[in-house]
Amino acid sequence: MKTTTITKSAIALTAGALLAVGLPLAANAHVTINPNAAEAGGYTVITVKVPNESATAATNKVELSLPTDTPFTSVRYVPVAGWTGELITETLPEPVTVGDTEITEAITKVVWTADAGAEIADGQLQQFDVSVGPVPDVGSLVLGADQFYTDGSVVSWSDEAADAQYPAPVLYVNDSPESNHHAAGGHDDEADSEDTATANATDSSSAAASDDTLARGLGLGGLILGAIAVVLAITGRRKSTN
């Protein structure tokens, strides 16, 4: 085998290894909410974190589904530059009593649509804040999300199964969260709940970003060392042949 052929094979092997590392990292970039826990009876601000998972298309629309069996009576979103927010009100499948009031319709979706040029591109993420309450006295609430791409594809983050490929975001109330994120809220003062929850969301997002950067750095460092070893092996073989 010629040295040139060996060198090309080494380069291809290294590129394949880089791709293999990149794919699992992208696959773990799920749509999530933070905080993922709240106190019953209070108000909380949740941050919907939406990373783009496509290398060829951008995210141009996000729909967050809210519960209809235990609906929120107050839903408000924080405006995001370049995106248009919309609250969708629908008739409930069955009337629901909240406090002393029976309600027949509620806000069931929050929709964010990107303006031209504001889409979430490859390697980017966008965060959407929404205030909800009062939080119902339940175990947990599934807040499914649909992620729309410019190529027409849609990813539905709605699977509740363990180790799901597209897991649905879950807001834990009485049940124990699967992670150590903590929700602020539970106060009668809605403004205090929102301020504290927003601070928690920022801290958690920063920590997640640091962990992701470290993991990528370690993986890339290992690959670089591997590539150097391949080059040294090829050089040694050439000297032996000569």
Side-chain angles (χ1 to χ4, degrees), residues 34-35 181-185 194-206:
N34 186 71
H181 297 160
H182 298 286
E194 294 178 354
D195 290 343
T196 308
T198 302
N200 285 347
T202 302
D203 292 342
S204 181
S205 296
S206 298

Side-chain angles (χ1 to χ4, degrees), residues 23-34 47-53 124-127 145 147 149 155-159 161-170 178 208 212 216:
L23 287 177
L25 289 173
N28 288 329
H30 301 322
V31 170
T32 57
I33 60 171
N34 186 71
T47 297
V48 184
K49 186 171 71 172
V50 183
N52 190 79
E53 293 192 308
Q124 297 180 344
L125 67 82
Q126 182 60 267
Q127 297 186 142
Q147 183 174 10
Y149 287 89
V155 176
S156 182
W157 300 92
S158 58
D159 197 339
D163 300 324
Q165 183 177 3
Y166 301 106
V170 177
E178 294 180 356
D212 183 65
R216 289 178 182 271

Side-chain angles (χ1 to χ4, degrees), residues 64-149:
L64 180 69
S65 296
L66 304 177
T68 56
D69 53 345
T70 53
F72 298 112
T73 57
S74 173
V75 180
R76 303 172 185 174
Y77 65 87
V78 177
V80 176
W83 290 74
T84 300
E86 183 181 6
L87 301 177
I88 306 299
T89 300
E90 297 180 318
T91 301
L92 300 174
E94 299 289 340
V96 176
T97 300
V98 178
D100 297 327
T101 305
E102 182 179 83
I103 60 175
T104 58
E105 62 179 22
I107 296 172
T108 59
K109 285 185 179 180
V110 185
V111 181
W112 293 275
T113 305
D115 298 337
E119 299 89 351
I120 309 171
D122 182 30
Q124 297 180 344
L125 67 82
Q126 182 60 267
Q127 297 186 142
F128 304 94
D129 292 338
V130 57
S131 169
V132 295
V135 177
D137 189 9
V138 296
S140 61
L141 299 167
V142 176
L143 307 179
D146 289 332
Q147 183 174 10
F148 295 76
Y149 287 89

Side-chain angles (χ1 to χ4, degrees), residues 176-223:
S176 298
E178 294 180 356
S179 66
N180 291 326
H181 297 160
H182 298 286
H187 300 292
D188 291 334
D189 187 341
E190 180 178 355
D192 289 344
S193 298
E194 294 178 354
D195 290 343
T196 308
T198 302
N200 285 347
T202 302
D203 292 342
S204 181
S205 296
S206 298
S210 298
D211 292 343
D212 183 65
T213 301
L214 177 60
R216 289 178 182 271
L218 292 175
L220 182 58
L223 287 170

